């Protein structure tokens, strides 16, 4: 019972001294019990009765202590909930803490001290230092108390937050490499659904309304983004801000200069549309950044580097290009399109901007609009013609298909910009996804090989490969043709096979389409993959695929995948 003497209650030291110096130990113990028992006259006659029933004094006093403790905790909580006269409330709690803090060392009384600390708006540093010094005390502190500790101890806060940041990126990667649902899409969940995740909600609890802790988390995210180039940290930055917006934590949202911009972009992503009004708001935010405030562009670029933002911007740009084709208008005349390209360019430059600390919006290449986009639109027109041709009567179709099938490689301007410009690369990648979604075999064969040369290997990033594989799996029948395999495997996937993530996505694709591959192609892919298998998990996946290929008996190439497929008799591998 260390700590009782400090609050004026005789403890074990007092009892030890009394027993050492007394002539009759039994009488000394009885006197100690009388003086320090429950001083309630009406209760004294009951104690012998409890003795007769075999109830030990320790049990009795412990039960009374528990009851009194619960009552005290309830009164402290009620005091903490009082909204009027906050100054008086803090004064009472401070006095209580001063009197009771020494008994924090007594486990049975510690909850009282912790309850007082939890209900105080501001705890003195001397108490916080003692809590940090003892690991057990710190761990038992409520999050309201830990916030006050964290804001003066960034390293400790970093240790608490770091596992959740790692867990967040791991969860995103589990979705990207998920194989249980081969057609699942990474981008399906809405923004509000995504920020209900456990990690985001835990971080919200840890931050509360503390601006300093929020700034620390943002700094951790910037640092990790620079160190790893992992864009999932950009996603978390946007989700965290919007989760605070949902809770109306104005203490933080009002001081974050990215709040209005992120809020507007979030609304566009949720509605899957950028109308003229929202485009003006977004453009206004970008144009209103004044001299001396350029550092805001760093956080804005992180928001725009979020894969969900990139997906929205690129998809919206392609929709507008489709509209311009129908109305026979030029890309440069559409202000919303130009804004989307501008935002896309800013998002793709996020890492370089933060790394160099040169906060300047990248200038949009004029020829991107005047040369690349018309070339991309010409490919989109060919896609439309091919789609219409497929619906024509057989006789008319035969005349038109010759021109379409021999339309040749993409225009030179298209290929050049895909290799040199990030915005062009992303637009080309999303055009390829759209083509695959339409199951346009010829259209996909025409452009997929070009993507292997994308600027900074953007086509080998996980969000794109995940989406591409999910769209190629339903086209399994097409893999029976060698020309389709040549484009998909030889001209695209195998050119990036030195990247570990590409191997995982390729293994996933082969797992679901190998039944349709010609035997020579199956054997060739196994031989191509064998030298690049680098770790135990990858080896396990490869072995499963190899066994499935060996056990496969040739079937009609036109047969569809059904529940009777031999593929489903082999345990599915784990891609995480």
């Amino acid at each position: 019972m260390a700590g009782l003497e400090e609050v004026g209650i005789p403890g074990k030291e007092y009892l030890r001294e009394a027993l050492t110096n007394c002539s009759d130990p039994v009488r000394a113990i009885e006197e100690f019990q009388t003086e320090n028992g429950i001083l309630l006259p009406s209760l004294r006659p009951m104690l012998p009765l409890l003795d007769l029933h075999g109830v030990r004094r320790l049990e009795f006093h412990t039960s009374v202590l528990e009851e009194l403790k619960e009552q005290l905790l309830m009164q402290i909580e009620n005091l903490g909930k009082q909204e009027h006269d906050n100054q008086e409330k803090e004064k009472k709690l401070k006095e209580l803490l001063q009197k009771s803090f020494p008994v924090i060392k007594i486990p049975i009384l510690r909850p009282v001290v912790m309850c007082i600390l939890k209900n105080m708006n501001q705890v003195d540093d001397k108490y916080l230092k003692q809590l940090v010094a003892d690991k057990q005390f710190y761990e038992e502190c409520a999050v309201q108390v830990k916030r006050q500790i964290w804001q003066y101890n960034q390293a400790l806060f970093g240790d608490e937050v770091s596992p959740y940041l790692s867990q967040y990126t791991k969860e995103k990667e589990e979705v990207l490499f998920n194989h249980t649902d081969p057609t699942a899409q990474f981008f399906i969940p809405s923004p509000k659904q995504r920020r209900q995740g456990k990690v985001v909600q835990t971080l919200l609890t840890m931050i509360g309304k503390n601006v300093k802790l929020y700034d620390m988390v943002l700094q951790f995210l910037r640092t990790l983004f620079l160190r790893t180039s992992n864009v999932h940290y950009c996603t978390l930055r946007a989700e965290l801000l919007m989760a605070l917006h949902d809770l109306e934590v104005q203490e933080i949202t009002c001081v974050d200069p990215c709040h209005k911009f992120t809020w507007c972009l979030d609304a566009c992503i949720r509605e899957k549309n950028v109308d003229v009004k929202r485009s003006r708001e977004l453009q206004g935010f970008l144009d209103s950044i004044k001299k001396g405030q350029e550092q805001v562009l760093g956080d804005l670029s992180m928001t725009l580097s979020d894969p969900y933002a990139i997906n929205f911007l690129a998809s919206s740009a392609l929709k507008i290009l489709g509209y311009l084709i129908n109305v026979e208008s030029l890309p440069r005349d559409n202000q919303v399109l130009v804004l989307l390209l501008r935002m896309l360019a800013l998002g793709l430059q996020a890492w370089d901007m933060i790394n160099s600390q040169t906060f300047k919006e990248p200038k949009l290449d004029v020829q991107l609009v005047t040369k690349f986009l018309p070339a991309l639109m010409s490919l989109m027109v060919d896609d439309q013609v091919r789609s219409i041709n497929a619906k024509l009567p057989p006789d008319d179709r035969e005349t038109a298909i010759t021109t379409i099938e021999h339309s040749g490689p993409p225009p030179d301007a298209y290929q050049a910009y895909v290799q040199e410009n990030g915005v062009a690369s992303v637009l080309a990648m999303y055009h390829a996804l759209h083509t695959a979604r339409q199951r346009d075999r010829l259209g996909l064969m025409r452009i997929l090989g070009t993507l292997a040369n994308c600027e900074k290997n953007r086509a080998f990033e996980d969000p794109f490969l995940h989406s591409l594989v999910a769209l190629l799996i339903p086209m399994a029948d097409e893999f029976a043709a060698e020309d389709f395999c040549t484009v998909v495997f030889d001209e695209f996937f195998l050119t990036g096979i030195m990247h570990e993530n590409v191997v995982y996505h390729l293994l996933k694709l082969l797992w679901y389409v190998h039944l349709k591959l010609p035997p020579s192609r199956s054997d060739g892919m196994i031989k191509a993959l064998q030298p690049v298998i680098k770790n135990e998990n990858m080896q396990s996946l490869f072995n499963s695929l190899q066994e499935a290929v060996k056990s496969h008996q040739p079937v009609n190439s036109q047969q569809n995948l059904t529940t009777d497929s031999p593929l489903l008799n082999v345990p599915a591998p784990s891609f995480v």
Side-chain angles (χ1 to χ4, degrees):
M1 290 291 183
L4 288 176
E5 284 86 355
E6 296 178 48
V7 292
I9 300 175
K12 62 181 181 180
E13 294 299 328
Y14 176 89
L15 185 58
R16 182 184 291 114
E17 186 177 344
L19 290 173
T20 303
N21 299 323
C22 72
S23 57
D24 185 354
V26 175
R27 183 174 178 80
I29 292 173
E30 290 177 350
E31 289 177 356
F32 184 85
Q33 288 178 327
T34 302
E35 292 172 2
N36 296 286
I38 300 174
L39 303 178
L40 192 63
S42 61
L43 184 63
R44 289 188 181 277
M46 293 296 296
L47 294 178
L49 182 61
L50 292 172
D51 293 338
L52 290 173
H53 284 279
V55 178
R56 297 171 59 200
R57 297 288 176 89
L58 175 61
E59 293 177 19
F60 169 68
H61 283 87
T62 300
S63 64
V64 173
L65 175 62
E66 286 292 341
E67 181 64 27
L68 291 174
K69 184 178 71 172
E70 291 302 320
Q71 292 294 324
L72 181 56
L73 289 173
M74 192 181 302
Q75 289 188 34
I76 294 170
E77 290 286 1
N78 291 335
L79 179 61
K81 292 175 183 176
Q82 290 180 9
E83 296 182 1
H84 64 283
D85 202 356
N86 192 57
Q87 190 173 356
E88 181 64 23
K89 178 186 77 173
E90 284 293 303
K91 183 181 177 182
K92 288 181 180 179
L93 289 172
K94 192 172 182 179
E95 290 173 357
L96 274 173
L97 182 63
Q98 188 175 0
K99 293 177 180 178
S100 62
F101 192 81
V103 301
I104 194 172
K105 299 173 185 176
I106 304 173
I108 197 170
L109 297 178
R110 191 177 301 148
V112 175
V113 182
M114 292 301 182
C115 185
I116 297 170
L117 289 166
K118 183 183 75 170
N119 285 281
M120 292 182 69
N121 295 329
Q122 188 64 46
V123 179
D124 288 347
D125 287 349
K126 64 178 181 180
Y127 298 120
L128 296 178
K129 288 177 182 177
Q130 291 183 63
L131 292 171
V132 174
D134 190 300
K135 186 177 180 181
Q136 187 174 5
F137 294 169
Y138 169 75
E139 289 178 350
E140 292 186 24
C141 284
V143 70
Q144 292 90 336
V145 183
K146 287 183 177 180
R147 289 187 198 124
Q148 298 185 50
I149 295 172
W150 292 333
Q151 67 179 348
Y152 299 113
N153 195 325
Q154 185 170 352
L156 184 60
F157 185 53
D159 292 340
E160 292 277 358
V161 167
S162 182
Y164 294 106
L165 303 185
S166 299
Q167 181 184 339
Y168 182 85
T169 57
K170 184 179 179 181
E171 288 174 358
K172 291 294 181 186
E173 288 165 1
E174 285 176 352
V175 175
L176 287 170
F177 291 104
N178 172 45
H179 72 284
T180 54
D181 183 357
T183 56
Q185 287 290 321
F186 177 71
F187 298 106
I188 284 179
S190 69
K192 281 207 169 186
Q193 287 175 324
R194 286 189 277 113
R195 53 183 179 258
Q196 297 307 312
K198 182 180 178 181
V199 171
V200 175
Q201 294 300 312
T202 301
L203 291 175
L204 286 179
T205 302
M206 295 175 75
I207 293 169
K209 298 180 180 181
N210 194 306
V211 176
K212 193 170 182 180
L213 295 181
Y214 176 69
D215 286 339
M216 283 187 198
V217 172
L218 294 191
Q219 188 56 46
F220 295 150
L221 293 176
R222 293 185 199 103
T223 303
L224 289 167
F225 176 50
L226 279 181
R227 188 180 300 165
T228 65
S229 299
N230 192 327
V231 290
H232 300 314
Y233 293 117
C234 300
T235 305
L236 182 54
R237 195 261 186 262
E239 287 184 357
L240 190 57
L241 177 55
M242 284 297 94
L244 289 165
H245 170 85
D246 293 342
L247 294 175
E248 299 182 357
V249 184
Q250 296 182 2
E251 291 87 345
I252 294 177
T253 58
C254 286
V255 297
D256 189 329
C258 297
H259 171 235
K260 290 184 179 179
F261 181 89
T262 309
W263 178 19
C264 189
L265 179 63
D266 183 79
C268 293
I269 295 173
R270 186 176 65 249
E271 296 167 7
K272 300 180 180 179
N273 181 51
V274 185
D275 56 31
V276 176
K277 180 183 176 183
R278 288 259 163 77
S279 69
R280 285 174 181 166
E281 290 178 3
L282 290 167
Q283 184 168 336
F285 298 141
L286 291 177
D287 294 340
S288 65
I289 297 174
K290 300 175 183 177
K291 191 173 183 180
Q293 299 177 335
E294 294 89 351
Q295 196 166 352
V296 174
L297 279 172
D299 276 343
L300 284 181
S301 67
M302 277 190 72
T303 300
L304 292 169
S305 190
D306 165 22
Y308 295 93
I310 296 290
N311 175 67
F312 168 73
L313 295 172
S315 301
S316 299
L318 284 179
K319 285 180 184 178
I320 293 175
L321 290 178
Y323 167 77
L324 294 177
I325 289 171
N326 292 333
V327 299
E328 299 182 0
S329 184
L330 295 173
R332 62 183 177 221
D333 296 331
N334 190 289
Q335 295 303 311
V336 176
L337 175 61
V338 173
L339 173 65
L340 292 174
L341 298 179
R342 182 181 168 188
M343 293 164 65
L344 198 52
L346 183 57
L348 296 177
Q349 288 295 313
W351 191 91
D352 293 325
M353 184 183 298
I354 298 172
N355 183 54
S356 65
Q357 292 291 290
T358 305
F359 300 105
K360 186 177 181 182
E361 184 180 344
K363 190 174 181 181
L364 194 63
D365 189 342
V366 175
Q367 293 190 350
L368 177 74
V369 179
T370 59
K371 289 189 175 181
F372 172 75
L373 290 186
L376 177 58
M377 291 168 75
S378 71
L379 293 175
M380 294 171 70
V381 170
D382 288 348
D383 295 344
Q384 290 182 6
V385 171
R386 193 181 302 108
S387 176
I388 294 171
N389 173 70
K391 300 173 184 177
L392 292 175
D395 293 341
D396 296 335
R397 185 187 310 171
E398 195 170 324
T399 306
I401 201 168
T402 304
T403 305
I404 298 169
E405 287 188 341
H406 296 87
S407 51
D412 292 341
Y414 174 92
Q415 298 187 62
Y417 270 88
V418 165
Q419 294 178 30
E420 299 170 4
N421 187 285
V423 175
S425 293
V426 171
L427 292 177
M429 288 155 54
Y430 274 82
H431 173 231
L433 292 180
H434 175 74
T435 307
R437 193 171 289 110
Q438 302 301 314
R439 302 197 184 187
D440 184 348
R441 176 181 185 275
L442 295 174
L444 189 60
M445 288 174 60
R446 188 179 182 190
I447 60 176
L448 189 58
T450 304
L451 299 184
N453 300 314
C454 272
E455 187 252 7
K456 294 186 178 179
N457 290 321
R458 295 189 187 277
F460 295 129
E461 294 173 353
D462 290 322
F464 174 72
L465 289 177
H466 166 86
S467 299
L468 179 64
V469 168
L471 293 168
L472 285 173
I473 290 172
M475 298 178 69
D477 288 341
E478 304 294 349
F479 285 88
E482 182 58 33
D483 58 348
F484 190 75
C485 290
T486 298
V487 173
V488 174
F489 296 128
D490 300 342
E491 296 182 15
F492 183 69
F493 277 100
L494 293 181
T495 62
I497 204 169
M498 71 291 298
H499 303 292
E500 186 174 309
N501 69 308
V502 176
V503 177
Y504 278 109
H505 289 288
L506 179 54
L507 285 169
K508 177 181 177 180
L509 176 61
L510 288 170
W511 180 263
Y512 287 101
V513 304
H514 75 272
L515 290 175
K516 299 294 182 177
L517 295 178
S520 59
R521 172 57 70 172
S522 298
D523 294 340
M525 292 306 299
I526 294 295
K527 289 177 182 177
L529 283 166
Q530 204 156 17
V532 296
I533 302 302
K534 299 177 181 177
N535 57 53
E536 186 176 341
N537 186 37
M538 198 182 286
Q539 185 67 53
S540 175
L541 300 174
F542 177 74
N543 291 342
S544 298
L545 176 65
Q546 194 172 26
E547 290 174 11
V549 170
K550 284 181 181 178
S551 64
H552 165 54
Q553 298 297 322
V555 295
N556 189 330
S557 63
Q558 297 302 314
Q559 180 183 340
N560 292 322
L561 288 174
T562 68
T563 53
D564 297 324
S565 169
L567 171 64
L568 300 180
N569 295 326
V570 183
S574 171
F575 284 82
V576 179

